[in-house]
Amino acid sequence: MLAVLRLGEEAYGASVLDEIRSRAGRRVARGALYVTLDRLEDKGLIRSRYAEGGPERGGRPRRLLALTPAGRRALRDARATLLRLWQGLESLLERG
Amino acid sequence: MTRMLLAFARRLLPWGPAGEAAIGDLLEERARRGRGSFWLLREALGLCIHHAAFRTRQALRPAVARPSSPRRDSVMSLLLADVRYAARSLRRDPGLCLVVLVTLALGVGANVALFTLVRGVLLRPLPYPEPDRLVIVYENDRLRGTSREGASAPDYLDLAAELRGFAVLGAREGADRTLGGPNEPLRVSSARVTTGWLGALGVRPRRGRLFTTDEERPGHGNVVLLGEGIWRERFGADPAVVGTEVRLDGEPRTVVGVLPATAAPPGFTERIWEPLAFDPEQTFRGRHNLLLLGRLAPGVALEQAQAELSAAMARLEKAHPDDNLGRGAWVTPLQEEVVGDVRTALLALMAAVGVVLLLACANVTHLLLARALLRERDLAVRASLGASPLRLLRLLLVESLLLGLSGGLLGVGVAVLGVRVLKAMAPAELPRLAEIHVDRGALLFALAVSLLTALVFGLLPAARAARREATAALRSGRSAGPGAGALRLRRALVVVEMALAVVLVVGAGLLLRSFARLVAVEPGFRPEGLLVVEMQLAGPRWAFPRSWPVHHWPAFDAFSEDLLERTRRLPGVDSVALAHLGPGDSGWTTRVTVEGRPEVRPGEQPEAGYRPVGAGYFRTLGVPLRRGRTFSEGDVAGRPLVAVVNEAFVRQHFPAGDPIGQRIVVFRAPREIVGVVGDVRYGGRDRDAPPVMYFPLRQAPQPALALVARVAGDPLGIVPALRREIGAIDPELALFGVTTASGFLAESVSERRFTLNLIAAFAVVALLLAALGVYGVLSHLVAERRREIGVRLALGAPPASVFVLVLGEGARIALVASLLGAVAALGGGRVLQSLLFGVGPRDPLTFLAAVPTLLAAALLASALPALRATRVDPADALRSE
């Protein structure tokens, strides 16, 4: 979802996969990505629409992804939670 | 190559545009990074697996097991893996499992319970060495058309001396004795037997010895063998009983041995044995009082023995035409005699319970088919991952075997309970009932039945699943319903189920109508409040006169007056009478001639029932007087000999004229007919009343007596007082056969009641299972045609029409099934023929009643799916495609 958020208008299967791979620095199974995307869509956290694909795609459509308001809310909540959990811990980490 | 691969991947990803987009992503990435075909292949496959795994997990409850690598696993571990997997996937579906297990447990349990009964009664060999060589020899009479007659003593002696095909031939005559002793005198059933009887059976004494041939001589037979039961009850299993003295009918007898409980063949009730001695003066060929039992010589077939026996009887017929004219003899295995006429009933029950099991199987097949449809994609994934069709087949079979065996295990529990219920329900006449319990044989049967059931219900879905191509399954869209082929299959299955149910319903209906007819038959007397008590005048005090025929027995006259007087004084007794035989006793017959009629050839004389009865017998029983008078206190010895006959006798001998004043000759003594009474069905309500002659008891006294009393309130209530009164007359007299007329009438139909109850229960279960099947199929149908129904509703069809549509489907199934079932029942009804009474096996009323019953069940079962169909939301149904 972060990748979708970051990529904005350019978020679709291949770009999201690349984004995750480069940012997280680890391999993500292609199938797992699509499955996850499907599940997120089923939960109403993202939505997708289909755009024309170019010749490099063999004419196949691109599935463009975007966050739904609920998705944004979920990300915000997750971030807030994470931050709350981290509060005052950085210094402790530095010391160790 | 690439194109093919992509096409293949596309077929595995039924994802709509999302799948297209995913493949587009693949191609784009490949182009950007310059990857080769191998990369594409790897990625595409990974994509498919992930997707299929996810979809399967989501769509199906059972999870996909981690695919194991088959090449390294042994067969056993594969099998174990299958079992584990099957157990896991079944556990995920507890509702289905519960329904399947309960259905199977009931089906298997009922079958095992009934099999146990059938095996115990019909199939288990008798507890004797080489039991198949034991045969009963009956005489028959061609002139009278009787087939199960005893042999006379001279016939027996001749046959025993002559026949080579028999290793041993023994004779038996039943008798009842009063066993005296320290406690209350006990009436016991005794068998007077020749040494050959016990010898043929191969009985070994538990204590002491058997009879010697010396004890078979007249005057030397004052010895007795005790059965194990009596030995334990009366003598506390005292090993020192051998050599002691007991009193039988007041006479001293020496106990020479104790016999095991099996010494009385099933169906025989003797508890003590006495030697059977033939006094040449007392035996004659016309008295057929002996039952013959033989052991065939080694290597002799039944047919050979029969041929030799027939030849011997033909010689006897020629040598003694006066007594043996028309008499032959036939052999039949003891086993078949023991089983007797319960065979048909038990086999009919077994067939019925088999049908129930078939229905249970069919229903489980329904459930598993539905489940298999849901799992087709799961299986397809496995197939696409390289599982062979055989492996898939095995997987499904393991699953159904697991279900089947668990169901069977539960079924054994049900069977143990069921056998208990059956034994409690079963009529007492059912032979060898006490020996019946669920044993290893029954467990093996349960195992076989459950394995078979598992195969039957597992194979169909498994075969279907294995046949279907993986790709086809994977391709079918996510919202696609179960296949139409499966629906056809299920519909055919449910038609068969319903047809089977029709057969059972018709069978139960026929039995029910027979039973109702039978119970409605008037017995010929009023059974309400009627007490019947049997007793035997035995012992030196009641010495029976040795002359023949006996018309006067002073000791009896005194006893009879004393007993009747004492009984009349008991509270609640309205009327009382003595008779030779009670109304529940079919009695015996003797030759009769009407005086003045032309002489009949010996052997062709008609016979009629012989029943000496005391004054007041007809009044006490409520038998109506039709003409003339009944017996009075004045009809005693010394007065003119008289007789009363029943209407059947009049129909046979005086079809036109008036019998009153005519004379009949019985036992060489002429008697005047003074009255005609109504018919009593002594032979049972399922038979016509036989011609009967009644004589005054005091002109034909008998040591065997039945006291009949009409009592206000509970007839059995006066029994203790009656016992005291009889004890006051003679403490050595034992009462036995204490019963009420209502009691023995009910008992006389107990076997029919048993069969009827069971078949009716099976029919209800069958109907229920079949209705469940209809419900399942119509639910399936409604799911399948959701879209069509949605369209109809959207186009303005009233919900009622949709309701009728589904209901009509149920009715169609029921009608086709009724037709099939009726045809099958027409054929199957013949099995029941001998169990029917007053209705034919093609009784149209029963058949006509079965169809609406079935239709009602089917419509009831269709109502719920039909209702659900009317609630289909058209928009929803259309959108979901």
Side-chain angles (χ1 to χ4, degrees), chain B residues 161-223:
Chain B
E162 205 174 316
L163 297 178
R164 294 283 153 261
F166 292 82
V168 199
L169 190 63
R172 169 195 186 277
E173 183 182 31
D176 284 320
R177 300 273 185 229
T178 301
L179 182 64
N183 311 322
E184 188 186 333
L186 183 70
R187 198 70 195 161
V188 295
S189 164
S190 162
R192 302 177 58 219
V193 296
T194 64
T195 51
W197 180 274
L198 294 175
L201 288 177
V203 172
R204 293 177 184 285
R206 291 207 46 176
R207 307 256 160 206
R209 60 168 175 85
L210 299 178
F211 298 132
T212 63
T213 44
D214 196 44
E215 283 157 355
E216 256 179 4
R217 289 186 296 135
H220 291 72
N222 52 354
V223 289

Side-chain angles (χ1 to χ4, degrees), chain B residues 328-640:
Chain B
W330 54 289
V331 289
T332 173
L334 177 62
Q335 173 90 40
E336 268 175 34
E337 277 311 289
V338 165
V339 170
D341 49 357
V342 298
R343 178 185 294 267
T344 324
L346 284 183
L347 290 183
L349 285 178
M350 201 68 216
V353 84
V355 168
V356 170
L357 183 65
L358 271 181
L359 288 180
C361 276
N363 268 24
V364 173
T365 308
H366 277 310
L367 291 170
L368 291 190
L369 259 177
R371 184 179 143 90
L373 289 167
L374 284 174
R375 294 183 57 194
E376 268 179 358
R377 298 171 55 75
D378 163 31
L379 294 171
V381 171
R382 297 180 145 255
S384 71
L385 289 178
S388 67
L390 206 66
R391 175 90 206 265
L392 290 182
L393 190 74
R394 201 178 60 203
L395 190 71
L396 286 171
L397 278 185
V398 164
E399 211 169 279
S400 57
L401 281 181
L402 203 64
L403 271 179
L405 289 180
S406 319
L409 207 65
L410 289 176
V412 171
V414 172
V416 171
L417 285 178
V419 166
R420 243 181 247 172
V421 173
L422 281 178
K423 278 170 88 165
M425 264 173 72
E429 307 94 84
L430 207 61
R432 314 180 72 182
L433 198 60
E435 301 169 29
I436 290 164
H437 57 275
V438 177
D439 58 6
R440 206 170 45 186
L443 291 184
L444 278 177
F445 180 78
L447 186 71
V449 166
S450 6
L451 284 180
L452 208 69
T453 3
L455 282 182
V456 169
F457 68 64
L459 219 48
L460 208 57
R464 259 184 61 78
R467 225 181 29 244
R468 264 188 83 122
E469 276 180 29
T471 47
L474 278 179
R475 195 174 46 224
S476 64
R478 75 172 95 166
S479 62
L487 189 59
R488 259 201 310 279
L489 193 67
R490 292 191 62 182
R491 203 181 289 172
L493 204 61
V494 85
V495 166
V496 172
E497 273 190 68
M498 278 257 143
L500 286 173
V502 171
V503 175
L504 275 193
V505 168
V506 166
L510 288 175
L511 288 179
L512 182 69
R513 271 173 56 78
S514 297
F515 193 79
R517 290 244 166 137
L518 187 63
V519 173
V521 169
E522 291 289 334
F525 62 94
R526 283 193 300 121
E528 303 82 21
L530 196 64
L531 177 74
V532 182
V533 174
E534 293 170 55
M535 66 197 87
Q536 175 94 16
L537 291 179
R541 185 172 160 194
W542 309 107
F544 196 60
R546 291 189 78 86
S547 65
W548 182 260
V550 176
H551 295 140
H552 190 214
W553 182 13
F556 171 78
D557 289 353
F559 170 79
S560 145
E561 265 164 37
D562 195 5
L563 177 62
L564 292 179
E565 192 47 47
R566 285 169 184 270
T567 312
R568 259 182 225 119
R569 281 205 303 265
L570 294 179
V573 173
D574 286 341
S575 71
V576 61
L578 274 174
H580 172 38
L581 303 166
D585 199 321
S586 56
W588 47 292
T589 62
T590 190
R591 290 175 202 174
V592 57
T593 50
V594 179
E595 224 177 49
R597 300 268 166 100
E599 194 69 23
V600 190
R601 283 203 332 164
E604 290 181 14
Q605 287 134 329
E607 300 216 342
Y610 171 86
R611 303 185 86 96
V613 300
Y617 174 83
F618 299 112
R619 184 161 37 86
T620 304
L621 253 63
V623 178
L625 176 69
R626 301 294 189 207
R627 250 183 276 175
R629 67 172 177 93
T630 58
F631 302 131
S632 70
E633 306 288 347
D635 292 315
V636 295
R639 305 279 302 159

Side-chain angles (χ1 to χ4, degrees), chain B residues 630-659:
Chain B
T630 58
F631 302 131
S632 70
E633 306 288 347
D635 292 315
V636 295
R639 305 279 302 159
L641 296 180
V642 292
V644 165
V645 295
N646 70 350
E647 291 175 300
F649 187 93
V650 174
R651 279 195 297 276
Q652 187 179 348
H653 295 278
F654 306 98
D658 185 3

Side-chain angles (χ1 to χ4, degrees), chain B residues 658-854:
Chain B
D658 185 3
I660 306 287
Q662 302 272 3
R663 284 149 71 88
I664 52 176
V665 181
V666 176
F667 295 134
R668 302 196 294 273
R671 289 172 178 269
E672 185 185 332
I673 297 176
V674 295
V676 178
V677 293
D679 288 336
V680 176
R681 290 176 192 259
Y682 290 114
R685 276 177 292 178
D686 51 353
R687 265 168 239 164
D688 286 336
V692 172
M693 309 172 291
Y694 298 95
F695 306 130
L697 196 54
R698 290 179 63 174
Q699 287 181 355
Q702 300 286 335
L705 292 171
L707 178 117
V708 290
R710 189 160 300 277
V711 181
D714 178 20
L716 293 175
I718 69 161
V719 173
L722 192 60
R723 247 182 235 285
R724 274 197 303 278
E725 295 297 336
I726 290 176
I729 299 174
D730 180 354
E732 291 264 308
L733 283 184
L735 287 191
F736 57 101
V738 177
T739 167
T740 63
S742 321
F744 71 70
L745 283 181
E747 202 163 290
S748 70
V749 293
S750 62
E751 209 170 288
R752 284 173 186 275
R753 191 193 303 269
F754 177 66
T755 316
L756 171 65
N757 281 345
L758 279 187
I759 294 230
F762 294 153
V764 169
V765 172
L767 209 56
L768 210 70
L769 286 176
L772 268 177
V774 170
Y775 169 78
V777 166
L778 290 185
S779 301
H780 188 159
L781 181 97
V782 168
E784 182 86 341
R785 291 169 65 174
R786 212 169 116 81
R787 191 182 151 82
E788 179 206 321
I789 292 166
V791 169
R792 276 171 192 262
L793 289 172
L795 291 179
S801 76
V802 170
F803 188 78
V804 169
L805 180 82
V806 178
L807 224 54
E809 193 64 36
R812 219 164 62 196
I813 290 175
L815 283 179
V816 174
S818 301
L819 217 65
L820 281 177
V823 172
L826 277 179
R830 250 170 294 152
V831 178
L832 290 177
Q833 180 87 62
S834 68
L835 302 176
L836 299 183
F837 176 82
V839 290
R842 303 185 166 185
D843 180 47
L845 202 67
T846 308
F847 276 81
L848 280 179
V851 174
T853 308
L854 192 80

